[in-house]
């Protein structure tokens, strides 16, 4: 029988269990947006996850939307991440990096030259970002010229190469949660009239081009993607998400992407948001590894894996507060609660100091 602790193949890798650590923004990068030694310790503490998907990481300076998020576009960032991947591999773990461009979810104070953030269309997101140690409205974006898009597509490929140079086992394209790729996918944020707007095929074009660029750089067997078909996160919505995401998944299947990681419902919120969206219909179009996420408790996680409705379950907040989440799930131990005050920014507190079961018993 298949359970959460059954090994599974992911491209060239054999994962030791079906529990993934979801990508989690923690805003603890150092100067130059370089991940530090504390990040290496944090990820190494969680290395018994079948797969770690490291936090969203900007592919370009323009792709940053919050303070102190790491990048993967400079040599210093590659060197910083190398410490993380070495620490995880030393403990037998597997780690992918999530490649991120925030698009309009940014602030001029983070943009090179203080310029406007870029987006499919010049429509501001009604959402806040975190800059200068406080929450701020996102800045009014400008619409990308069609001629600018190839350079961003190429930057995804370069970032994937950089991730492999940093020792990652693969990458996950961040096409979820209302960031740049999702802004192009969904018709509330994409009002373009060129080949990147209008029809479903046109709105999916940028994401598929980015996927092809990453595949060309590092191989489909090291390339996954994260989508969130109905989430309202960062002020995006779509008039027909079922048709949009069924098309996207069909196309991703043809590209042989190694996994699709689906956020069900509202990110970090209700799983039933989006009403009758049919996730099983999405999966029917895809023959690779299917990772599910959002608000899974241990019982639901066991059920979807044993029924084969999903191949892996990604846990977010439970992995923040339980470095030994895998062991706790194995023995049915209670979970530590997450401290919301230390989620974003700061140092070791709320990052590397959550107790393991053996420490709690001391
Ligand atoms: C929380 C805070 C900032 C960014 C996402 C990368 O939602 C994020 C994120 C989450 O995908």
């Amino acid at each position: 029988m298949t359970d959460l602790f059954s090994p599974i193949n992911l491209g060239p890798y054999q994962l030791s269990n079906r529990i993934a650590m979801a990508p989690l923004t923690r805003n603890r990068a150092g100067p130059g947006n370089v991940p530090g030694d504390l990040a290496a310790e944090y990820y190494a503490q969680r290395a018994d996850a079948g797969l770690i998907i490291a936090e969203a990481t900007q592919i370009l300076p323009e792709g940053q939307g919050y303070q102190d998020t790491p990048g993967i576009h400079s040599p210093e960032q590659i060197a910083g991440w190398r410490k993380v991947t070495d620490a995880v591999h030393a403990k037998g773990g597997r780690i992918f990096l999530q490649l991120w461009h925030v698009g309009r979810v940014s602030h001029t104070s983070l943009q090179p030259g203080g310029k406007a953030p870029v987006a499919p269309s010049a429509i501001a997101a009604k959402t806040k970002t975190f800059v200068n140690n406080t929450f701020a409205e996102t800045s009014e974006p400008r619409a990308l010229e069609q001629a600018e898009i190839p350079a961003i597509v190429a930057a995804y490929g370069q970032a994937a190469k950089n991730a492999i140079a940093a020792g990652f086992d693969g990458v996950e394209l961040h096409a979820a949660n209302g960031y740049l790729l999702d802004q192009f996918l969904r018709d509330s944020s994409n009002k373009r009239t060129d080949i990147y707007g209008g029809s479903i095929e046109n709105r999916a074009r940028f994401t598929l081009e980015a996927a092809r660029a990453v595949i060309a750089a590092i191989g489909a067997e090291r390339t996954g993607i994260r989508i969130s078909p109905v989430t309202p996160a960062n002020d995006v919505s779509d008039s027909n998400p079922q048709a949009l995401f069924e098309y996207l998944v069909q196309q991703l299947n043809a590209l042989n992407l190694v996994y699709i990681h689906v956020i069900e419902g509202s990110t970090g919120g209700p799983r039933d948001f989006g009403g009758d969206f049919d996730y099983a219909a999405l999966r029917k179009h895809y023959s690779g590894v299917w990772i599910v996420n959002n608000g899974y408790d241990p019982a639901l996680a066991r059920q979807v894996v044993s029924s084969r409705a999903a191949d892996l379950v990604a846990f977010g907040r439970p992995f923040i507060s339980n470095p030994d989440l895998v062991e706790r799930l194995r023995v049915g131990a209670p979970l530590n609660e997450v401290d919301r005050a230390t989620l974003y920014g700061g140092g070791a507190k709320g990052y590397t100091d959550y107790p393991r079961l053996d420490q709690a018993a001391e």
Side-chain angles (χ1 to χ4, degrees), residues 247-304:
Y247 171 78
L248 182 68
V249 168
Q250 281 168 350
Q251 298 299 308
L252 295 169
N253 189 57
L255 294 177
N256 292 316
L257 245 68
V258 75
Y259 74 71
I260 296 181
H261 179 183
V262 187
I263 299 171
E264 297 163 341
S266 175
T267 312
R271 291 182 41 74
D272 59 4
F273 187 94
D276 53 6
F277 190 90
D278 185 351
Y279 297 95
L282 277 195
R283 197 194 179 184
K284 287 201 188 92
H285 297 300
Y286 182 67
S287 54
V289 170
W290 195 253
I291 308 181
V292 295
N293 170 249
N294 202 29
Y296 277 80
D297 62 19
L300 187 58
R302 278 195 294 270
Q303 189 232 303
V304 293

Side-chain angles (χ1 to χ4, degrees), residues 199-219:
S199 66
I200 283 173
E201 291 78 3
N202 280 356
R203 284 183 279 125
R205 190 181 307 278
F206 189 9
T207 298
L208 293 169
E209 287 180 354
R212 281 192 214 97
V214 170
I215 290 168
I218 67 168

Side-chain angles (χ1 to χ4, degrees), residues 25 56 66 100 174 177 179 344:
T25 290
Y66 308 80
W100 195 25
H174 194 344
N177 295 344
Y179 296 108
Y344 307 118

Side-chain angles (χ1 to χ4, degrees), residues 3 73 82 200 209 269 356 361:
D3 67 16
H73 51 83
R82 170 54 81 172
I200 283 173
E209 287 180 354
R356 308 176 69 90

Side-chain angles (χ1 to χ4, degrees), residues 27-352:
N27 307 80
R28 281 166 168 85
N33 300 320
V34 174
D37 294 342
L38 214 50
E41 184 183 342
Y42 162 76
Y43 283 111
Q45 287 174 341
R46 289 154 180 80
D48 58 358
L51 177 67
I52 293 173
I53 305 156
E55 67 210 75
T57 295
Q58 55 266 8
I59 61 167
L60 289 168
E62 295 81 1
Q64 184 177 3
Y66 308 80
Q67 74 180 47
D68 304 328
T69 57
I72 188 70
H73 51 83
S74 77
E76 295 77 16
Q77 291 161 354
I78 295 172
W81 278 121
R82 170 54 81 172
K83 293 191 217 165
V84 172
T85 62
D86 282 349
V88 168
H89 289 148
K91 296 185 79 180
R94 290 290 177 197
I95 183 166
F96 275 42
L97 181 65
Q98 195 190 44
L99 301 185
W100 195 25
H101 191 310
V102 296
R104 67 181 185 167
V105 185
S106 187
H107 193 269
T108 51
S109 67
L110 287 171
Q111 291 292 313
K115 293 195 180 132
V118 299
S121 302
I123 306 168
K126 290 183 194 62
T127 187
K128 288 195 167 30
T129 178
F130 192 72
V131 283
N132 304 317
N133 295 315
T134 184
F135 289 95
E137 289 295 330
T138 56
S139 303
E140 198 75 39
R142 73 170 177 89
L144 281 165
E145 303 287 337
Q146 188 178 321
E148 294 177 282
I149 292 179
I152 302 179
V153 169
Y156 278 100
Q158 184 60 50
K161 280 190 192 149
N162 293 351
I164 297 301
F168 283 99
D169 298 305
V171 305
E172 174 179 284
L173 270 176
H174 194 344
N177 295 344
Y179 296 108
L180 184 64
L181 297 177
D182 205 18
Q183 288 158 31
F184 272 81
L185 286 168
R186 296 209 255 175
D187 58 14
S188 72
S189 46
N190 183 344
K191 306 288 185 193
R192 299 178 73 92
T193 54
D194 63 6
I195 59 166
Y196 291 97
S199 66
I200 283 173
E201 291 78 3
N202 280 356
R203 284 183 279 125
R205 190 181 307 278
F206 189 9
T207 298
L208 293 169
E209 287 180 354
R212 281 192 214 97
V214 170
I215 290 168
I218 67 168
E221 72 283 8
R222 290 181 178 77
T223 306
I225 191 169
R226 194 178 205 207
I227 58 175
S228 53
V230 298
T231 196
N234 292 313
D235 195 26
V236 286
S237 62
D238 193 79
S239 56
N240 190 353
Q242 193 74 46
L244 170 62
F245 283 90
E246 286 198 32
Y247 171 78
L248 182 68
V249 168
Q250 281 168 350
Q251 298 299 308
L252 295 169
N253 189 57
L255 294 177
N256 292 316
L257 245 68
V258 75
Y259 74 71
I260 296 181
H261 179 183
V262 187
I263 299 171
E264 297 163 341
S266 175
T267 312
R271 291 182 41 74
D272 59 4
F273 187 94
D276 53 6
F277 190 90
D278 185 351
Y279 297 95
L282 277 195
R283 197 194 179 184
K284 287 201 188 92
H285 297 300
Y286 182 67
S287 54
V289 170
W290 195 253
I291 308 181
V292 295
N293 170 249
N294 202 29
Y296 277 80
D297 62 19
L300 187 58
R302 278 195 294 270
Q303 189 232 303
V304 293
V305 167
S306 61
S307 69
R308 313 303 286 261
D311 296 308
L312 282 93
V313 177
F315 292 90
R317 274 170 286 189
F319 251 120
I320 291 179
S321 52
N322 298 276
D324 56 348
L325 181 64
V326 171
E327 181 61 14
R328 286 176 191 253
L329 292 174
R330 199 190 308 273
V331 302
L335 304 183
N336 299 320
E337 288 297 317
V338 81
D339 169 28
R340 303 186 73 92
T342 50
L343 284 178
Y344 307 118
K349 189 170 175 332
Y351 192 48
T352 51

